[in-house]
Amino acid sequence: MGISNQRNNGIKENWKCALICLGMAFATTQYGFDVAIIGTFQTMPGFLMTFGYPDPALKGGWGIATKDQQLIASFLNVGTMIGVLFISPFGRYFGRRHGIWMGTIIAFAGCATQIVASSITILCLGRALMGASNAFFITFSNAYIVECAPPQLRGVGSAILSYQIPLACLFIFPALLSIFVFFIPESPRWLMLHERREEAERSLAFLRGDSLEPEFLQEELVEIIRGVEEEKAIASASSLVDIFKGTNLRRTMLCVAVAVSRASSGIWVFLSYGTYFFQQAGVGDVFRIGIYTMVVQLVGVVAGLYCAYKVFGRRTMLLIGTGGAVISMVGPALSATIAPETPEAAKTFLAFFFFYVIVYCGFAGSMTWPISAEVVNSRLRVVTLSFATGVDYLFAWLISFCSPYFINPTALNWGAKYCWIWSASNILTFVFFWLFLPDMKGRSLEEIDELFEKRVSARDFPTFECQSSSQAHEIALHKLEEAKVTAEHVERDR
């Protein structure tokens, strides 16, 4: 017996919680928006006149040095790796909402620094600050969404908002978030973990609204309390060492693998150098292509959103997206090998890029956030997520630092043949997910904890009957019956 079907209802019944999670998903949107904008700026004359060099041989008459490309792209990741060092100690004393507020303060500083920058050094400082803010946004927003959303909606909030849309506009996201978090409750699981039970009850009641009858609201509350008490019985504090102990090692490995799959998919190449890559591939109007890309991506996100909500589990979504990424990388790599620097190769690159945007971004890209957050131990969620984010951005930094050597005409000049590397990495990722990643669709966080504690294999996750939910249901019914009897006695005494 899993959790009660009434607790696993849809968006219509949970409209309030869905809107809150959607608002919180703006935090991860800023990360993709920021990277895409900087990639686009590297082809704009004004940007190149300030940070590049004149070169009549290039289209537009301006170019940018390979080293400067590396620094601009990689310092965002350096900032994120520095930021994650502060996540765990911050999360130990402050809630998820306070984490978002701290991210907005750092983001404001990063935006202002980039706007006034007139040298690569100052620009990179701004990039590092933006990276540090992303560490807070990504970790705390995903922890909040996973802890507050019902099981069926955990994969939806991150899927609705993805990437893209110039530099001052980056102020929009921290400004909206800093106002938004005033009006939402703290995570009930975080409150319960810090022994603030009454606040946790009010928070859960606010998040669920009218979607649950008192019986099932009490059931979920009991399940959260039991889960927190069991975690406290195992350990009294969370530390980095704990994420590698016992069954947590398996969960940490899965979390890191899912997080790093974003880098291994090749998405950082398109995000950081997409516009520049189009020019070098011989594609004409890159800005019009940017508009087309957003339209195509919207199609992918809508399709992925529907499939995540109605059709597939999150594991299946990851497998579809990663398999599509393999095809998307083999196509342009093969065409660039057979007919390099030809119009046909450019058209092939463009076609497979659009395919990548639809399949990977719509299916796998949007699922990595909720999966990496829900697969980890509840007590160690922030610690594990910050570690996984740091590893992810370490690989992203290596990719963004090395990629210019492969694609820049003044270096190796591989062009689209660079995609061979990413086709191989996507194959390895697909095999790992197929063998080791369980499907957690429809499971409460407490059920997921039980499944890992009992060392259930990935293949048996969908069919294993958990005891935590059934016991929570019985306790909730017992408490409601006691409350009813007490009320009847009080009424009789009157």
Side-chain angles (χ1 to χ4, degrees):
M1 175 183 177
I3 64 173
S4 302
N5 291 331
Q6 290 84 348
R7 284 176 51 196
N8 211 4
N9 43 28
I11 293 178
K12 183 178 179 181
E13 296 82 0
N14 286 280
W15 64 270
K16 186 189 294 183
C17 186
L19 286 177
I20 290 173
C21 292
L22 175 60
M24 196 59 81
F26 269 103
T28 54
T29 303
Q30 190 223 243
Y31 138 79
F33 182 95
D34 172 69
V35 176
I37 285 297
I38 287 296
T40 301
F41 284 167
Q42 293 183 41
T43 63
M44 296 177 69
F47 184 89
L48 294 174
M49 288 177 186
T50 304
F51 302 106
Y53 61 90
D55 188 344
L58 296 175
K59 289 183 179 180
W62 291 86
I64 186 168
T66 300
K67 181 181 178 181
D68 291 341
Q69 275 185 310
Q70 292 173 308
L71 293 173
I72 292 169
S74 63
F75 260 80
L76 178 75
N77 305 316
V78 171
T80 304
M81 288 186 285
I82 295 173
V84 298
L85 299 176
F86 298 93
I87 295 294
S88 180
F90 186 94
R92 190 171 300 167
Y93 301 104
F94 300 98
R96 310 328 187 197
R97 296 192 310 155
H98 294 89
I100 296 297
W101 269 320
M102 179 57 68
T104 62
I105 294 171
I106 301 172
F108 281 134
C111 292
T113 303
Q114 290 180 92
I115 290 171
V116 302
S118 58
S119 67
I120 289 291
T121 302
I122 302 301
L123 182 65
C124 288
L125 175 60
R127 303 300 296 144
L129 287 171
M130 291 304 296
S133 72
N134 284 336
F136 280 81
F137 285 153
I138 291 169
T139 302
F140 287 106
S141 67
N142 284 290
Y144 186 94
I145 291 172
V146 164
E147 291 175 350
C148 294
Q152 192 172 352
L153 300 185
R154 284 203 297 263
V156 175
S158 298
I160 295 175
L161 297 173
S162 278
Y163 309 108
Q164 261 120 344
I165 299 177
L167 196 51
C169 289
L170 287 173
F171 276 117
I172 293 173
F173 298 104
L176 290 175
L177 284 166
S178 62
I179 297 170
F180 175 73
V181 291
F182 273 109
F183 301 99
I184 63 175
E186 185 53 82
S187 161
R189 286 177 171 83
W190 185 86
L191 291 170
M192 197 67 73
L193 191 63
H194 289 77
E195 300 180 353
R196 294 158 64 176
R197 177 166 177 166
E198 291 184 1
E199 293 179 65
E201 290 183 24
R202 290 196 298 269
S203 173
L204 185 64
F206 180 87
L207 290 165
R208 295 296 175 261
D210 299 326
S211 66
L212 295 179
E213 297 293 331
E215 170 189 342
F216 301 108
L217 184 66
Q218 185 68 27
E219 177 187 323
E220 184 170 3
L221 181 64
V222 169
E223 192 173 16
I224 292 173
I225 293 171
R226 286 169 57 85
V228 169
E229 288 176 348
E230 288 174 3
E231 287 299 331
K232 285 184 176 181
I234 296 172
S236 58
S238 57
S239 66
L240 186 62
V241 177
D242 290 337
I243 69 176
F244 301 107
K245 292 181 178 178
T247 57
N248 289 325
L249 176 60
R250 177 189 177 192
R251 305 177 77 167
T252 300
M253 291 176 64
L254 288 171
C255 178
V256 171
V258 173
V260 172
S261 72
R262 294 189 287 269
S264 68
S265 72
I267 194 170
W268 273 98
V269 179
F270 289 125
L271 284 177
S272 299
Y273 305 106
T275 308
Y276 182 84
F277 212 91
F278 281 132
Q279 285 188 333
Q280 300 308 313
V283 178
D285 191 343
V286 293
F287 293 103
R288 183 180 296 178
I289 290 170
I291 301 298
Y292 294 158
T293 300
M294 284 190 284
V295 174
V296 169
Q297 190 168 37
L298 178 61
V299 173
V301 168
V302 171
L305 178 62
Y306 176 81
C307 291
Y309 182 55
K310 291 285 189 180
V311 184
F312 301 122
R314 290 185 268 285
R315 175 179 180 272
T316 304
M317 293 283 288
L318 269 186
L319 289 172
I320 292 173
T322 307
V326 174
I327 299 170
S328 301
M329 294 298 173
V330 170
L334 191 61
S335 65
T337 302
I338 297 173
E341 300 181 6
T342 62
E344 289 73 20
K347 291 176 182 178
T348 302
F349 177 86
L350 185 60
F352 278 98
F353 170 71
F354 284 157
F355 180 74
Y356 177 90
V357 168
I358 292 175
V359 179
Y360 181 79
C361 296
F363 286 76
S366 58
M367 289 296 107
T368 55
W369 301 115
I371 291 176
S372 58
E374 70 184 359
V375 74
V376 299
N377 182 296
S378 296
R379 177 177 58 88
L380 302 172
R381 180 162 289 112
V382 167
V383 180
T384 314
L385 280 175
S386 61
F387 175 76
T389 301
V391 176
D392 176 28
Y393 274 80
L394 173 61
F395 279 96
W397 171 77
L398 288 171
I399 293 166
S400 61
F401 193 82
C402 297
S403 292
Y405 282 117
F406 289 92
I407 66 176
N408 202 302
T410 61
L412 292 178
N413 195 25
W414 277 22
K417 286 184 285 187
Y418 186 39
C419 294
W420 281 123
I421 293 176
W422 303 111
S423 60
S425 67
N426 277 296
I427 290 173
L428 293 176
T429 303
F430 183 92
V431 172
F432 181 89
F433 287 160
W434 179 267
L435 294 176
F436 302 111
L437 183 68
D439 196 342
M440 295 163 284
K441 183 179 181 180
R443 296 287 192 178
S444 69
L445 297 181
E446 288 69 32
E447 284 184 311
I448 293 173
D449 286 342
E450 180 181 345
L451 288 164
F452 278 105
E453 285 298 323
K454 292 182 176 179
R455 303 179 186 272
V456 177
S457 67
R459 291 288 178 268
D460 294 333
F461 256 60
T463 57
F464 190 87
E465 293 190 8
C466 292
Q467 301 300 313
S468 58
S469 295
S470 58
Q471 291 172 357
H473 183 69
E474 293 172 2
I475 294 172
L477 288 176
H478 181 66
K479 287 189 174 184
L480 287 172
E481 188 64 31
E482 285 183 342
K484 183 179 178 181
V485 171
T486 302
E488 288 176 352
H489 286 166
V490 171
E491 187 67 29
R492 192 180 303 119
D493 292 340
R494 288 180 181 178

